[in-house]
Amino acid sequence: MVQITELSFRYGEPERGEQGFALRIDELRVAAGESVAFVGPSGSGKTTLLHLVAGILAPDAGHVLVAGEDLATLDDARRRAFRVAKIGLVFQEFELLDYLSVLDNILLPYRIHSILRLDGAARDRAGALAERLGIGDKLARRPGSLSQGERQRAAVCRSLVTGPSLLLADEPTGNLDPVNTGLVLDALFELTNESGATLLAVTHNLELLPRFDRVIDFKDFQPPPAARS
Amino acid sequence: MTGPLYLAWRYLVFHRVKAGILVLSISLIAFLPAGLNVLVGESAAQLRARAEATPLLLGAKGSPLELSLSSLYFESREPAAVPYDEVARVVATGLARAIPLHVGFRVASHPIVGTELAYFAWRGLVVAQGRQAAMLGECVLGAEAARRLGVAPGDAVVSSPESVFDLAGVYPLRMRVAGVLAPSYGPDDRAVFVDVKTAWVIAGLGHGHADLREASAASSVLRKENGPEGERIVANASVKEYNEITTDNAASFHFHGDVSSYPITAVLVVPPDDKSRALLMGRYSAPEETVQVLRPIGVIDDLLGTVFTVQGYIVAALALVAAATLATAGLVFALSIRLRRREVETLVKIGGSRGSIAVVLAAEVVFVLLCSGVLAAGFTLATERLGGTAIRNLLLS
């Protein structure tokens, strides 16, 4: 599902005196349906890698192939279309829009990209997902009136409503208590297992790691000190 | 495209207080110059209509504006008086009809207008209830005056005391309401019309009292003298003066001195044609002339010229306020976009293009401007529809 080769990426411009940050991955392959946890210290590039895989960022060098598509070779419009159709994103801070109802938040991808058609089937899918995640009775409410766990479950619904083959989760339980952490993770694993979607998740919670098929420590991707400067 | 528009609409609905304030501010600032224009235009039209319908005014020398406002709209201070024989003087020229006016007293806040029956025919005023005043002490009320005073034919109204502490001054006169005029939607609606002689009675120039020749009035008689004009009776202060004119005491009412010298505040001069008007104005233009004859439309146009100049200043001030309002609205939008940076980033991350996000933000501005435009147009339409009535009520108040 995801194939990364000879990837290098650098933030900042050291020649202009800016503090640089670099990520270098020689090779990384994630099979379809696999669940992988990314761990490592803050600033080690976990979120950056998710953004590179999502096509939000473009690598300085190397290739990121998702479902056989090299995102770097696509123009901006096609890359966005690919992302909205194939990739679901879950954020630590939920990133729900406070002025939309829970249902409208779940259906947000359909509102911002014309490649997706908002029809009855999409609404039914949103409703069914919300029921599965225990927020079916809260579709008309605003995110502000939900608990933290309910908000993240709404965000998970949004990430899955388009039926993506790849789910990228950036610390999805970082702001949740243990009970909600369990609920959200259960939902993520259940739904990705059912759909056969691949799950890449960044987490600092080491207790969750046994649930993933594979754990990748980002200490392995740190360039040698000479390459950082 | 409907997706971004939907998001913009939902954002404005969620932030409806902020959006409402913006819409109201912009719509008001757009409406105010147009509304002011409509109101000033309507006021000017109504003021001019009355002035145009009044060919010439004769009054004491002094402020033409005071004379016009007093005689046409029954506003302003009471102008200096001219003698009643100015009416005869105009008629004697053979160039115009003349209608006397005495404006100075009030019933509550309503002006008492002393005049003659010719005034009603000339202004096109018709009696809707009751009849015309037929005897001294009767009055006919404008429709608005009758409504506000809550009186109908057969009731009575009392003139306001003009000088409470002046024992020799003006005493209130109780007047019977003979009729109520049909609405004319002008200053006549709020007036109380009396015969000019009734106005003189209110002024204390005519009075009625017990017959001093009767035995019952003996205690009020100071002395009796015989002169060339017959018996002259001098009374003391105990003589009873009537404050209401009835059929029983009407005969006792009389005027002392030469009525032709009694005061009126203006003469409405109605020449049959432009030539007669020009000739009349020429006759009254001599430097030694003690009265002035003026064309009210000229006076009102001068007044409106000043009003329009002031309106220009107000519109210029409104333009500055509009610029400040739009700048503030722009700032609100700019700050709003800054505050929504995370939201924009989220939309980008889940697949939204910069273009569609720009459409969301621009649609919010367009919605606000659109709603403001519709509201401002509604205000302006309402002002155009209701402005005439509002101005009439304002002029009547």
Side-chain angles (χ1 to χ4, degrees):
Chain A
M1 168 55 65
V2 178
Q3 189 176 342
I4 297 171
T5 50
E6 302 294 331
L7 173 75
S8 74
F9 180 82
R10 181 188 290 274
Y11 268 130
E13 296 179 42
E15 59 272 20
R16 292 174 61 181
E18 293 175 10
Q19 191 70 29
F21 157 76
L23 178 68
R24 183 178 175 83
I25 301 175
D26 292 333
E27 183 160 17
L28 173 63
R29 288 169 188 268
V30 179
E34 194 179 7
S35 64
V36 178
F38 293 154
V39 295
S42 295
S44 59
K46 303 183 293 295
T47 298
T48 300
L49 180 59
L50 290 189
H51 286 178
L52 287 163
V53 172
I56 296 167
L57 295 174
D60 295 332
H63 301 282
V64 177
L65 274 67
V66 177
E69 195 79 57
D70 188 346
L71 298 182
T73 63
L74 301 179
D75 62 27
D76 184 56
R78 289 175 63 196
R79 196 163 53 239
R80 279 188 294 101
F82 181 85
R83 182 160 71 242
V84 82
K86 303 280 186 185
I87 301 173
L89 286 155
V90 181
F91 308 99
Q92 182 181 359
E93 301 283 348
F94 327 135
E95 308 299 352
L96 299 172
L97 306 190
D98 58 356
Y99 56 87
L100 295 180
S101 66
V102 170
L103 178 62
D104 279 337
N105 265 291
I106 294 172
L107 294 171
L108 188 59
Y110 291 88
R111 303 276 190 200
I112 58 164
H113 207 295
S114 54
I115 195 174
L116 300 175
R117 186 157 167 267
L118 180 54
D119 52 15
R123 290 178 195 279
D124 290 346
R125 206 160 43 247
L129 276 170
E131 285 293 339
R132 284 283 303 273
L133 272 77
I135 53 170
D137 58 337
K138 296 180 171 64
L139 288 175
R141 288 170 60 174
R142 307 271 173 205
S145 68
L146 302 184
S147 69
Q148 297 279 86
E150 289 169 336
R151 285 184 218 178
Q152 190 60 305
R153 279 181 268 162
V156 170
C157 289
R158 181 182 64 193
S159 68
L160 293 170
V161 73
T162 56
S165 51
L166 174 62
L167 189 65
L168 305 176
D170 191 359
E171 297 193 47
T173 59
N175 280 337
L176 302 181
D177 58 42
V179 174
N180 276 306
T181 295
L183 282 171
V184 168
L185 270 187
D186 287 348
L188 277 176
F189 280 106
E190 270 180 44
L191 292 168
T192 50
N193 282 339
E194 280 176 20
S195 64
T198 306
L199 172 62
L200 302 185
V202 170
T203 183
H204 285 109
N205 190 341
L206 301 180
E207 291 177 11
L208 306 178
L209 299 184
R211 302 190 63 172
F212 289 87
D213 297 332
R214 188 155 45 121
V215 175
I216 294 175
D217 192 337
F218 265 57
K219 280 188 294 190
D220 302 338
F221 298 143
Q222 294 299 300
R228 292 187 184 205
S229 58
Chain B
M1 183 54 78
T2 53
L5 294 182
Y6 178 79
L7 294 182
W9 178 246
R10 296 309 312 171
Y11 179 84
L12 290 176
V13 169
F14 185 73
H15 297 285
R16 50 188 166 273
V17 174
K18 182 186 87 172
I21 290 170
L22 271 176
V23 165
L24 199 62
S25 306
I26 295 172
S27 59
L28 278 179
I29 214 67
F31 155 72
L32 280 177
L36 184 68
N37 201 39
V38 168
L39 290 177
V40 169
E42 185 63 35
S43 306
Q46 293 193 19
L47 284 172
R48 287 194 92 252
R50 181 85 169 175
E52 272 185 322
T54 310
L56 291 175
L57 262 182
L58 182 149
K61 279 198 167 173
S63 164
L65 184 61
E66 272 189 14
L67 177 61
S68 299
L69 292 179
S70 162
S71 307
L72 269 59
Y73 314 106
F74 315 133
E75 292 289 351
S76 179
R77 288 185 302 156
E78 183 184 350
V82 294
Y84 181 62
D85 68 357
E86 288 295 343
V87 176
R89 199 177 147 209
V90 171
V91 173
T93 63
L95 294 169
R97 288 191 294 144
I99 302 168
L101 273 183
H102 186 292
V103 183
F105 306 120
R106 293 189 171 268
V107 172
S109 61
H110 300 278
I112 295 174
V113 179
T115 185
E116 292 176 351
L117 286 175
Y119 179 86
F120 300 94
W122 177 64
R123 285 278 190 217
L125 303 172
V126 292
V127 176
Q129 300 172 52
R131 56 169 174 76
Q132 260 295 355
M135 64 175 280
L136 202 64
E138 286 188 334
C139 62
V140 172
L141 270 63
E144 186 66 15
R147 189 185 68 78
R148 291 195 185 178
L149 293 169
V151 293
D155 296 335
V157 293
V158 180
S159 67
S160 304
E162 297 291 316
S163 48
V164 176
F165 302 108
D166 182 2
L167 293 178
V170 178
Y171 289 92
L173 180 70
R174 184 179 164 85
M175 297 172 287
R176 282 192 313 283
V177 178
V180 175
L181 298 172
S184 63
Y185 307 106
D188 297 316
D189 281 358
R190 63 184 174 87
V192 175
F193 292 98
V194 297
D195 184 83
V196 70
K197 287 180 179 170
T198 302
W200 290 335
V201 171
I202 298 170
L205 299 170
H207 61 184
H209 49 72
D211 190 347
L212 296 174
R213 286 167 299 190
E214 288 183 2
S216 59
S219 62
S220 299
V221 174
L222 274 181
R223 61 178 183 277
K224 294 182 179 178
E225 298 167 351
N226 284 314
E229 295 169 358
E231 187 183 44
R232 184 164 173 247
I233 303 172
V234 180
N236 61 30
S238 70
V239 67
K240 183 187 175 189
E241 285 202 29
Y242 302 121
N243 67 351
E244 181 178 9
I245 306 170
T246 64
T247 48
D248 294 335
N249 67 20
S252 78
F253 273 82
H254 55 277
F255 297 90
H256 295 282
D258 181 8
V259 170
S260 66
S261 67
Y262 276 17
I264 52 176
T265 52
V267 180
L268 294 170
V269 180
V270 189
D273 49 41
D274 289 347
K275 182 182 174 187
S276 302
R277 184 177 66 197
L279 286 171
L280 256 174
M281 291 190 78
R283 292 196 186 180
Y284 281 91
S285 62
E288 64 274 15
E289 186 59 66
T290 55
V291 297
Q292 61 175 331
V293 172
L294 54 85
R295 293 187 63 197
I297 189 65
V299 176
I300 296 304
D301 278 345
D302 284 349
L303 172 68
L304 291 176
T306 308
V307 170
F308 289 135
T309 305
V310 172
Q311 184 196 3
Y313 291 136
I314 292 173
V315 169
L318 284 175
L320 290 176
V321 176
T325 303
L326 290 177
T328 307
L331 190 67
V332 168
F333 279 116
L335 287 173
S336 167
I337 290 168
R338 269 184 85 95
L339 288 171
R340 295 169 67 188
R341 202 170 62 189
R342 274 187 70 164
E343 175 192 331
V344 170
E345 285 172 0
T346 301
L347 292 176
V348 169
K349 282 176 185 172
I350 62 176
S353 68
R354 296 277 170 195
S356 62
I357 293 163
V359 170
V360 173
L361 300 174
E364 288 168 17
V365 178
V366 171
F367 276 141
V368 166
L369 292 178
L370 208 62
C371 291
S372 304
V374 169
L375 201 59
F379 283 155
T380 308
L381 260 174
T383 308
E384 275 177 356
R385 291 266 173 89
L386 307 173
T389 311
I391 292 298
R392 273 196 295 273
N393 289 338
L394 198 68
L395 293 175
L396 284 174
S397 64

